[in-house]
Amino acid sequence: MNNAIHALPPRDRMSAGAIKLRDAYACKPDAPLYQREFGFYCLEKWKEQGMPDDVPRAELFHFDPPGRHNLKGLGWCEAEFMPRFPEKVVEERGPHEVIQDHAGRHLLVFKEHRSSFMPEYLDHPVKDLASWENNCKWRLDPK
């Protein structure tokens, strides 16, 4: 049985946004691009230049309806550590800073736009079996 966990659900059970997103990811011939917001670092400037503030961005920019569902608390690209690593600034580097994120990674980011750009990954909490056991394994214990 196709339960939509081990395989995609049938197209007739997908939302319009999910169908359009799947077709774009599958590079289906003649599939239109799926339009969504990825985060803008220029919204404040656009508002200064006259972008209306009272119109939802999805309507203003003609974004497609959502095509996915998030399950919060299950991690994303990293494990859902509990407790999380403390988020902190490790080093200042002019317009950049090295931060430690919730997964214990050290990332080089822009100071004012941490989430608007792909960070540079500088270090990770696991380097060998000892660092796995000391830094991470206990954070994944369900007890």
Side-chain angles (χ1 to χ4, degrees):
M1 178 177 164
N2 183 344
N3 59 10
I5 294 173
H6 299 98
L8 290 174
R11 286 178 75 88
D12 63 350
R13 291 186 50 210
M14 290 184 188
S15 68
I19 289 171
K20 190 171 183 181
L21 183 61
R22 293 301 321 159
D23 287 350
Y25 283 157
C27 298
K28 183 177 177 181
D30 299 320
L33 289 176
Y34 181 80
Q35 298 179 36
R36 61 166 274 204
E37 180 177 354
F38 287 94
F40 295 104
Y41 57 90
C42 52
L43 286 175
E44 291 305 317
K45 189 70 167 174
W46 289 354
K47 287 177 187 175
E48 290 172 14
Q49 295 172 352
M51 181 182 82
D53 203 17
D54 59 342
V55 178
R57 281 190 246 154
E59 183 180 325
L60 186 64
F61 295 112
H62 308 288
F63 294 143
D64 287 309
R68 65 183 189 161
H69 180 75
N70 291 325
L71 299 173
K72 301 292 184 195
L74 294 179
W76 192 53
C77 291
E78 60 276 329
E80 187 65 24
F81 292 125
M82 196 59 61
R84 294 173 159 220
F85 283 83
E87 296 182 26
K88 60 185 178 183
V89 175
V90 176
E91 179 185 344
E92 300 276 340
R93 293 188 183 180
H96 302 90
E97 57 192 2
V98 177
I99 62 169
Q100 176 176 287
D101 73 358
H102 67 278
R105 302 170 296 199
H106 287 195
L107 313 174
L108 181 65
V109 297
F110 288 104
K111 284 183 180 176
E112 296 183 22
H113 304 293
R114 284 186 182 178
S115 63
S116 299
F117 298 93
M118 182 72 180
E120 182 177 338
Y121 292 83
L122 303 177
D123 196 15
H124 295 270
V126 177
K127 296 169 186 51
D128 52 29
L129 185 58
S131 62
W132 159 251
E133 290 176 352
N134 291 333
N135 298 332
C136 297
K137 184 179 178 182
W138 64 273
R139 295 175 192 271
L140 297 172
D141 184 352
K143 296 177 195 144

